[in-house]
Amino acid sequence: MKSIESVLAFIVEIEKLKAVQRKTRPVGLQRYENSAEHSWHVCLSALMLKDYADQPVDIDRVIRMLLIHDLGEIDAGDTIIYASETPELKEEEETGLKRLLAILPGDTDHYLALWREFELGESADAKFAKAIDRVPPLLHNLHGDGHSWRDHQVPKEKVFDLNSRIGDGSQALWAVLKKQLDGAVEDGLLK
Amino acid sequence: MKSIESVLAFIVEIEKLKAVQRKTRPVGLQRYENSAEHSWHVCLSALMLKDYADQPVDIDRVIRMLLIHDLGEIDAGDTIIYASETPELKEEEETGLKRLLAILPGDTDHYLALWREFELGESADAKFAKAIDRVPPLLHNLHGDGHSWRDHQVPKEKVFDLNSRIGDGSQALWAVLKKQLDGAVEDGLLK
């Protein structure tokens, strides 16, 4: 009973992810996206794109990774990926994740390990999860007049360079998105 | 390539779930919750509560169920559970889900079957998923001055009656929540 109460406390605490504002707006909405709805979006996106992973992936592990991948932002906040992922920021996120996991009963080290695996981005599951994590922000910009690229003055070279990591998880997916980005350059959305 | 483009179109289309407003406010937030962030919340809640399911469940199936369980609301909208789940509404949601699945390449009947299994609520996985789906709205009310019970004039009998279905998935979880609801009655939050 006591342990269920701890899980319920965790469930209330992680609700704060719904207040973490990201840097892009969902297609068709005027407000910015939050990290909780983004987490749902990438989980379902991963499920629907699983057959295009270059290496065999355990999609259920990928989904678990994506369910927890942004929890560290509750304490650390969301940072635009083009502002570079510093070791300091990652450490802050890890500390935040540990604080949350400490609310749960029992051993939660496997969740910390899963988060670190995602961050490291070396396993097949992590490469695919990280590739999927990049997809919605690109779609938001592609279908939203490049608003985030423009707001943060991100040059096209940086957009292509950073998102080419999608190809580490799925070359086919990156090929399609690269073509769409080429179109955005042609249309003047991305400069 | 063509099929990846279809999945990307699906990913953009389901983004509309972020605009479906629910009837409770997340703890600590003034705005109402949307069905996309709710979907993330219940997936992670299910994962953390899996050990308390009364019958053995396939947690990865439960998570997939919960990832898609509200997609029908994109066309049908969200309805407060106390307003009763009519066959007409469920049919509208199913039609909406079918419209979305038709955007995807390949055979998607297994997703429709999974959604119907959830709605039916008879399998162990569905019972547990449905139990978890009820948890956040209760916590929102318990930690938020019973705002949704009050706004919709839901009497305590209805709250206890409808949420007792949590016990169909986990007696232990229902026992803890029932106790918290009893406390809400004592405190005058629930009348």
mmCIF file of all heavy atoms in Angstrom, chain B residues 109-128:
data_model
loop_
_atom_site.group_PDB
_atom_site.id
_atom_site.type_symbol
_atom_site.label_atom_id
_atom_site.label_comp_id
_atom_site.label_asym_id
_atom_site.label_seq_id
_atom_site.Cartn_x
_atom_site.Cartn_y
_atom_site.Cartn_z
ATOM 1 N N ASP B 109 -5.147 -3.160 -39.101
ATOM 2 C CA ASP B 109 -6.292 -3.735 -38.373
ATOM 3 C C ASP B 109 -5.949 -4.092 -36.927
ATOM 4 O O ASP B 109 -6.821 -4.067 -36.055
ATOM 5 C CB ASP B 109 -6.810 -4.995 -39.085
ATOM 6 C CG ASP B 109 -7.653 -4.625 -40.305
ATOM 7 O OD1 ASP B 109 -7.913 -3.417 -40.492
ATOM 8 O OD2 ASP B 109 -8.028 -5.536 -41.062
ATOM 9 N N HIS B 110 -4.687 -4.458 -36.675
ATOM 10 C CA HIS B 110 -4.325 -4.837 -35.305
ATOM 11 C C HIS B 110 -4.417 -3.642 -34.354
ATOM 12 O O HIS B 110 -4.660 -3.814 -33.167
ATOM 13 C CB HIS B 110 -2.933 -5.485 -35.248
ATOM 14 C CG HIS B 110 -1.847 -4.647 -35.852
ATOM 15 N ND1 HIS B 110 -1.789 -4.326 -37.189
ATOM 16 C CD2 HIS B 110 -0.773 -4.047 -35.283
ATOM 17 C CE1 HIS B 110 -0.717 -3.576 -37.427
ATOM 18 N NE2 HIS B 110 -0.094 -3.391 -36.291
ATOM 19 N N TYR B 111 -4.244 -2.426 -34.885
ATOM 20 C CA TYR B 111 -4.398 -1.264 -34.017
ATOM 21 C C TYR B 111 -5.871 -1.027 -33.687
ATOM 22 O O TYR B 111 -6.224 -0.691 -32.559
ATOM 23 C CB TYR B 111 -3.792 -0.005 -34.656
ATOM 24 C CG TYR B 111 -2.286 -0.049 -34.685
ATOM 25 C CD1 TYR B 111 -1.592 -0.080 -35.886
ATOM 26 C CD2 TYR B 111 -1.553 -0.099 -33.506
ATOM 27 C CE1 TYR B 111 -0.204 -0.147 -35.916
ATOM 28 C CE2 TYR B 111 -0.171 -0.172 -33.524
ATOM 29 C CZ TYR B 111 0.500 -0.192 -34.735
ATOM 30 O OH TYR B 111 1.863 -0.267 -34.754
ATOM 31 N N LEU B 112 -6.719 -1.248 -34.681
ATOM 32 C CA LEU B 112 -8.159 -1.113 -34.454
ATOM 33 C C LEU B 112 -8.618 -2.169 -33.445
ATOM 34 O O LEU B 112 -9.396 -1.877 -32.525
ATOM 35 C CB LEU B 112 -8.906 -1.271 -35.789
ATOM 36 C CG LEU B 112 -10.414 -1.037 -35.746
ATOM 37 C CD1 LEU B 112 -10.739 0.387 -35.298
ATOM 38 C CD2 LEU B 112 -11.043 -1.308 -37.133
ATOM 39 N N ALA B 113 -8.087 -3.375 -33.599
ATOM 40 C CA ALA B 113 -8.447 -4.460 -32.673
ATOM 41 C C ALA B 113 -7.987 -4.134 -31.253
ATOM 42 O O ALA B 113 -8.696 -4.408 -30.278
ATOM 43 C CB ALA B 113 -7.828 -5.773 -33.149
ATOM 44 N N LEU B 114 -6.802 -3.548 -31.152
ATOM 45 C CA LEU B 114 -6.264 -3.184 -29.833
ATOM 46 C C LEU B 114 -7.135 -2.110 -29.184
ATOM 47 O O LEU B 114 -7.414 -2.159 -27.977
ATOM 48 C CB LEU B 114 -4.825 -2.668 -30.005
ATOM 49 C CG LEU B 114 -3.943 -2.626 -28.763
ATOM 50 C CD1 LEU B 114 -3.675 -4.021 -28.214
ATOM 51 C CD2 LEU B 114 -2.598 -1.953 -29.079
ATOM 52 N N TRP B 115 -7.554 -1.144 -29.979
ATOM 53 C CA TRP B 115 -8.429 -0.082 -29.485
ATOM 54 C C TRP B 115 -9.766 -0.664 -29.025
ATOM 55 O O TRP B 115 -10.276 -0.325 -27.953
ATOM 56 C CB TRP B 115 -8.662 0.969 -30.588
ATOM 57 C CG TRP B 115 -9.502 2.134 -30.163
ATOM 58 C CD1 TRP B 115 -9.071 3.278 -29.554
ATOM 59 C CD2 TRP B 115 -10.929 2.267 -30.303
ATOM 60 N NE1 TRP B 115 -10.134 4.110 -29.320
ATOM 61 C CE2 TRP B 115 -11.290 3.519 -29.763
ATOM 62 C CE3 TRP B 115 -11.930 1.451 -30.836
ATOM 63 C CZ2 TRP B 115 -12.596 3.988 -29.731
ATOM 64 C CZ3 TRP B 115 -13.244 1.910 -30.800
ATOM 65 C CH2 TRP B 115 -13.576 3.164 -30.262
ATOM 66 N N ARG B 116 -10.325 -1.580 -29.819
ATOM 67 C CA ARG B 116 -11.613 -2.199 -29.445
ATOM 68 C C ARG B 116 -11.462 -3.036 -28.177
ATOM 69 O O ARG B 116 -12.354 -3.060 -27.339
ATOM 70 C CB ARG B 116 -12.121 -3.093 -30.581
ATOM 71 C CG ARG B 116 -12.702 -2.312 -31.742
ATOM 72 C CD ARG B 116 -13.167 -3.263 -32.835
ATOM 73 N NE ARG B 116 -13.776 -2.573 -33.954
ATOM 74 C CZ ARG B 116 -13.779 -3.042 -35.206
ATOM 75 N NH1 ARG B 116 -13.194 -4.209 -35.482
ATOM 76 N NH2 ARG B 116 -14.365 -2.363 -36.169
ATOM 77 N N GLU B 117 -10.331 -3.707 -28.051
ATOM 78 C CA GLU B 117 -10.068 -4.507 -26.839
ATOM 79 C C GLU B 117 -10.045 -3.597 -25.615
ATOM 80 O O GLU B 117 -10.627 -3.926 -24.573
ATOM 81 C CB GLU B 117 -8.728 -5.238 -26.985
ATOM 82 C CG GLU B 117 -8.381 -6.111 -25.778
ATOM 83 C CD GLU B 117 -7.021 -6.797 -25.911
ATOM 84 O OE1 GLU B 117 -6.586 -7.085 -27.047
ATOM 85 O OE2 GLU B 117 -6.377 -7.035 -24.865
ATOM 86 N N PHE B 118 -9.406 -2.448 -25.752
ATOM 87 C CA PHE B 118 -9.386 -1.475 -24.662
ATOM 88 C C PHE B 118 -10.804 -1.038 -24.320
ATOM 89 O O PHE B 118 -11.216 -1.046 -23.156
ATOM 90 C CB PHE B 118 -8.531 -0.262 -25.045
ATOM 91 C CG PHE B 118 -8.605 0.876 -24.063
ATOM 92 C CD1 PHE B 118 -7.822 0.870 -22.921
ATOM 93 C CD2 PHE B 118 -9.470 1.947 -24.268
ATOM 94 C CE1 PHE B 118 -7.901 1.914 -21.996
ATOM 95 C CE2 PHE B 118 -9.556 2.990 -23.359
ATOM 96 C CZ PHE B 118 -8.768 2.968 -22.219
ATOM 97 N N GLU B 119 -11.558 -0.661 -25.327
ATOM 98 C CA GLU B 119 -12.913 -0.164 -25.097
ATOM 99 C C GLU B 119 -13.799 -1.216 -24.443
ATOM 100 O O GLU B 119 -14.598 -0.906 -23.568
ATOM 101 C CB GLU B 119 -13.533 0.302 -26.429
ATOM 102 C CG GLU B 119 -12.971 1.622 -26.939
ATOM 103 C CD GLU B 119 -13.251 2.791 -25.985
ATOM 104 O OE1 GLU B 119 -14.285 2.765 -25.299
ATOM 105 O OE2 GLU B 119 -12.426 3.714 -25.918
ATOM 106 N N LEU B 120 -13.628 -2.458 -24.877
ATOM 107 C CA LEU B 120 -14.423 -3.557 -24.334
ATOM 108 C C LEU B 120 -14.078 -3.779 -22.856
ATOM 109 O O LEU B 120 -14.942 -4.080 -22.034
ATOM 110 C CB LEU B 120 -14.147 -4.823 -25.162
ATOM 111 C CG LEU B 120 -15.251 -5.865 -25.235
ATOM 112 C CD1 LEU B 120 -16.533 -5.250 -25.789
ATOM 113 C CD2 LEU B 120 -14.807 -7.040 -26.131
ATOM 114 N N GLY B 121 -12.795 -3.627 -22.540
ATOM 115 C CA GLY B 121 -12.356 -3.716 -21.145
ATOM 116 C C GLY B 121 -12.506 -5.083 -20.515
ATOM 117 O O GLY B 121 -12.707 -5.187 -19.301
ATOM 118 N N GLU B 122 -12.405 -6.139 -21.300
ATOM 119 C CA GLU B 122 -12.595 -7.475 -20.735
ATOM 120 C C GLU B 122 -11.309 -8.252 -20.510
ATOM 121 O O GLU B 122 -11.225 -9.055 -19.591
ATOM 122 C CB GLU B 122 -13.542 -8.278 -21.637
ATOM 123 C CG GLU B 122 -14.978 -7.772 -21.548
ATOM 124 C CD GLU B 122 -15.942 -8.564 -22.418
ATOM 125 O OE1 GLU B 122 -15.492 -9.445 -23.178
ATOM 126 O OE2 GLU B 122 -17.155 -8.264 -22.345
ATOM 127 N N SER B 123 -10.304 -8.037 -21.362
ATOM 128 C CA SER B 123 -9.035 -8.760 -21.191
ATOM 129 C C SER B 123 -8.281 -8.183 -19.997
ATOM 130 O O SER B 123 -8.565 -7.070 -19.544
ATOM 131 C CB SER B 123 -8.182 -8.631 -22.460
ATOM 132 O OG SER B 123 -7.719 -7.298 -22.599
ATOM 133 N N ALA B 124 -7.323 -8.954 -19.502
ATOM 134 C CA ALA B 124 -6.511 -8.477 -18.369
ATOM 135 C C ALA B 124 -5.787 -7.182 -18.739
ATOM 136 O O ALA B 124 -5.751 -6.228 -17.944
ATOM 137 C CB ALA B 124 -5.503 -9.553 -17.958
ATOM 138 N N ASP B 125 -5.230 -7.132 -19.952
ATOM 139 C CA ASP B 125 -4.514 -5.925 -20.379
ATOM 140 C C ASP B 125 -5.459 -4.715 -20.422
ATOM 141 O O ASP B 125 -5.110 -3.621 -19.975
ATOM 142 C CB ASP B 125 -3.896 -6.124 -21.780
ATOM 143 C CG ASP B 125 -2.703 -7.081 -21.748
ATOM 144 O OD1 ASP B 125 -2.248 -7.437 -20.640
ATOM 145 O OD2 ASP B 125 -2.237 -7.479 -22.836
ATOM 146 N N ALA B 126 -6.644 -4.932 -20.974
ATOM 147 C CA ALA B 126 -7.606 -3.823 -21.103
ATOM 148 C C ALA B 126 -8.112 -3.372 -19.737
ATOM 149 O O ALA B 126 -8.281 -2.175 -19.491
ATOM 150 C CB ALA B 126 -8.768 -4.233 -21.995
ATOM 151 N N LYS B 127 -8.359 -4.329 -18.853
ATOM 152 C CA LYS B 127 -8.825 -3.959 -17.501
ATOM 153 C C LYS B 127 -7.792 -3.086 -16.795
ATOM 154 O O LYS B 127 -8.130 -2.094 -16.141
ATOM 155 C CB LYS B 127 -9.078 -5.222 -16.669
ATOM 156 C CG LYS B 127 -10.443 -5.832 -16.901
ATOM 157 C CD LYS B 127 -10.628 -7.065 -16.015
ATOM 158 C CE LYS B 127 -11.915 -7.785 -16.384
ATOM 159 N NZ LYS B 127 -11.922 -9.178 -15.907
ATOM 160 N N PHE B 128 -6.529 -3.495 -16.936
ATOM 161 C CA PHE B 128 -5.471 -2.722 -16.278
ATOM 162 C C PHE B 128 -5.321 -1.345 -16.946
ATOM 163 O O PHE B 128 -5.230 -0.318 -16.256
ATOM 164 C CB PHE B 128 -4.149 -3.490 -16.305
ATOM 165 C CG PHE B 128 -3.059 -2.818 -15.522
ATOM 166 C CD1 PHE B 128 -3.174 -2.652 -14.139
ATOM 167 C CD2 PHE B 128 -1.910 -2.340 -16.142
ATOM 168 C CE1 PHE B 128 -2.171 -2.014 -13.407
ATOM 169 C CE2 PHE B 128 -0.904 -1.708 -15.421
ATOM 170 C CZ PHE B 128 -1.036 -1.545 -14.050
#
